[in-house]
Amino acid sequence: AYPPPRRKRRGRHPSAGRDGGMEPIHQGILFLPRRCILPCRMGILGVLLLALALVGPAGAEGGAGTLSPLHGGLGARSIGMGRSGVADARGAVSLFWNPALLARLPRADLSAYRTRLFADETVHHSVYAAWPTLSLGTFAVGVQRLGIDGIERRDDRNFLLGDFGSGETHVLVGSGRDLGRGLALGAAVRFQQQSVDGSSDLAFGLDLGLAHE
């Protein structure tokens, strides 16, 4: 005769209660030691802050392709420092960033810039000049232009009909004056003209600036 088979002892399920019943398994996941709550919350806060820091620059780039290159700024120093020219621009290009900074110019200044963008048909150039006076502050004038030629004109069947051009011009006139105690005030009038294939439009604006050191 063969001995009867031995039964295997079954252990208690990790989620089994004291009375043998089943308890919701999520209790063992959600309930953490009290000393872990604060570090976990700090970790979640850090992740959220990092996400906001990464999303911020991406949102700022949302205007790519919709803004004119003439709004990108002037001066290698100001652009290289993250477009900080509003606070520390130097020379005649201060008229573009903050006209109040013109009051800090110790002498007359002339700035000229010219470059070709992407292709030979796209030219960006600018000229800014500033001259200080003894009692009326510093006056400045600037001109910027972006011109694009050789844009192909095609019909609805994609047949080449010729080409046309597009251009944008900004003219700024302003001044800055020292008010004393490290405070300076400035103002500039901006004229903007844009043309595309014979159609054009003109707009103007007023820039006010304040600087303190």
Side-chain angles (χ1 to χ4, degrees):
Y2 295 96
R6 300 179 59 183
R7 290 187 175 182
K8 295 182 180 180
R9 299 184 60 184
R10 298 182 180 179
R12 296 177 60 187
H13 193 273
S15 61
R18 295 181 180 178
D19 55 354
M22 299 297 291
E23 294 183 355
I25 193 170
H26 63 79
Q27 290 186 2
I29 298 176
L30 296 180
F31 287 102
L32 299 175
R34 182 172 299 178
R35 60 189 177 185
C36 297
I37 294 178
L38 183 58
C40 291
R41 289 181 178 177
M42 295 299 294
I44 295 174
L45 180 60
V47 172
L48 292 177
L49 292 177
L50 179 60
L52 291 176
L54 295 177
V55 171
E61 306 243 343
T66 61
L67 295 179
S68 168
L70 299 183
H71 292 87
L74 290 172
R77 181 177 181 274
S78 298
I79 296 177
M81 296 179 63
R83 300 185 64 189
S84 61
V86 175
D88 62 355
R90 299 179 182 179
V93 295
S94 301
L95 177 63
F96 176 89
W97 295 102
N98 185 355
L101 298 178
L102 292 171
R104 300 179 181 177
L105 266 67
R107 62 185 66 87
D109 184 74
L110 176 65
S111 175
Y113 171 84
R114 175 182 172 87
T115 186
R116 294 185 178 272
L117 303 174
F118 313 120
D120 293 339
E121 292 81 8
T122 305
V123 180
H124 179 202
H125 49 84
S126 65
V127 177
Y128 278 76
W131 57 95
T133 63
L134 295 177
S135 58
L136 300 178
T138 302
F139 294 89
V141 60
V143 178
Q144 290 180 258
R145 174 161 178 81
L146 177 67
I148 305 175
D149 296 324
I151 304 175
E152 295 182 352
R153 186 200 311 275
R154 295 180 179 269
D155 60 8
D156 54 354
R157 297 183 179 182
N158 202 29
F159 286 108
L160 183 62
L161 302 178
D163 55 37
F164 64 96
S166 174
E168 185 174 352
T169 304
H170 291 190
V171 178
L172 291 86
V173 179
S175 65
R177 185 171 183 176
D178 188 7
L179 301 181
R181 297 185 178 181
L183 188 64
L185 180 66
V189 179
R190 181 189 300 263
F191 300 92
Q192 180 175 344
Q193 187 268 344
Q194 187 173 12
S195 62
V196 179
D197 191 20
S199 301
S200 62
D201 199 359
L202 178 66
F204 68 94
L206 178 64
D207 298 339
L208 298 177
L210 187 66
H212 182 267
E213 64 176 356

